[in-house]
Amino acid sequence: MARFEQMHGTMKAALGDSRALVDHIRGYEALQQQLAELLEEAQDSTQLLQEAQEARLHTYYKVVANINGRYLSVFDGQTEFRMGERVARKPCHGHRGAFFLWASAADARSARFPRSSKLKHADRALLRVRGDLPHSKARHAHGSKCMLWTFTPCNDVSGMLNVPGQSNTIVK
């Protein structure tokens, strides 16, 4: 009888250990599921980061004249830029007719225009734009000045240049 009780005790202990192992495995499976979900989120985050980096590669800044809420070319005084509407010119040899933009808002802020610019004395605005194609570096450019033949204005970011202790005006 003592041997039976001993075997019964051993079996009860083994059963208890088995139950603990099953609980442990269930916990492990739950951890595996959580890990799979975290890996999926990480992949989504990586994809979002890649998309953001790609968008940044094609984000530029354009200094324009702001005439009663209309965004016009400082240089020719006629070309109008509307948010969400693609602007394009036919590429030609050299840079005649190309649009000049800047890869950084800081560089755009100090943009200089030729004396012959039609709206050089007008109020200015800074537009964030999306380029469809990679840019060309402007010859004799200062800072991050670029040439594009096509782009889409996205939004007026003149306010993003507010820096304590500095003027928010764009150089005229």
Side-chain angles (χ1 to χ4, degrees), residues 48-76:
L48 283 173
L49 180 59
Q50 287 172 343
E51 289 171 5
Q53 288 171 336
E54 176 68 20
R56 186 178 178 279
L57 291 175
H58 296 287
T59 297
Y60 302 93
Y61 298 89
K62 175 84 175 146
V63 177
V64 296
N66 185 350
I67 309 293
N68 298 321
R70 291 177 63 212
Y71 301 111
L72 301 171
S73 166
V74 172
F75 181 71
D76 70 22

Side-chain angles (χ1 to χ4, degrees), residues 23-44:
D23 289 343
H24 184 72
I25 290 171
R26 285 185 185 141
Y28 178 75
E29 288 171 348
L31 285 174
Q32 278 186 317
Q33 179 63 31
Q34 288 175 347
L35 180 60
E37 290 169 6
L38 287 172
L39 286 173
E40 188 175 321
E41 284 180 33
Q43 288 173 341
D44 291 345

